[in-house]
Amino acid sequence: MTAKTAAAAKAPSETLLLEIAAKHFRLETLETRNSDGLDFHDVAVWSIRAALEAAFAAGQAATR
């Protein structure tokens, strides 16, 4: 797999991760912004569980 192919294959998963983060944690980005106020968040355990369940379901769907 070339670097270009790897980047193209990575893009959908990055998009999916951002969608899960936005939905469950209300995050605008998953990029480091070098600011404690922007990079660290208080998150409820039920939000973590829901995000993990969404990621697991996405992984299962990807293998079908």
Side-chain angles (χ1 to χ4, degrees), residues 34 42 46-47 51 53:
N34 298 314
D42 287 327
W46 52 86
S47 294
E53 288 172 346

Side-chain angles (χ1 to χ4, degrees), residues 2-27:
T2 66
K4 187 175 182 180
T5 307
K10 186 178 178 182
S13 64
E14 290 293 324
T15 301
L16 179 59
L17 289 175
L18 185 54
E19 287 174 5
I20 291 170
K23 178 179 178 182
H24 297 282
F25 305 131
R26 297 187 180 128
L27 299 178

Side-chain angles (χ1 to χ4, degrees), residues 36-57:
D36 287 354
L38 297 174
D39 291 337
F40 293 92
H41 305 275
D42 287 327
V43 181
V45 294
W46 52 86
S47 294
I48 296 170
R49 181 184 186 93
L52 290 170
E53 288 172 346
F56 182 79

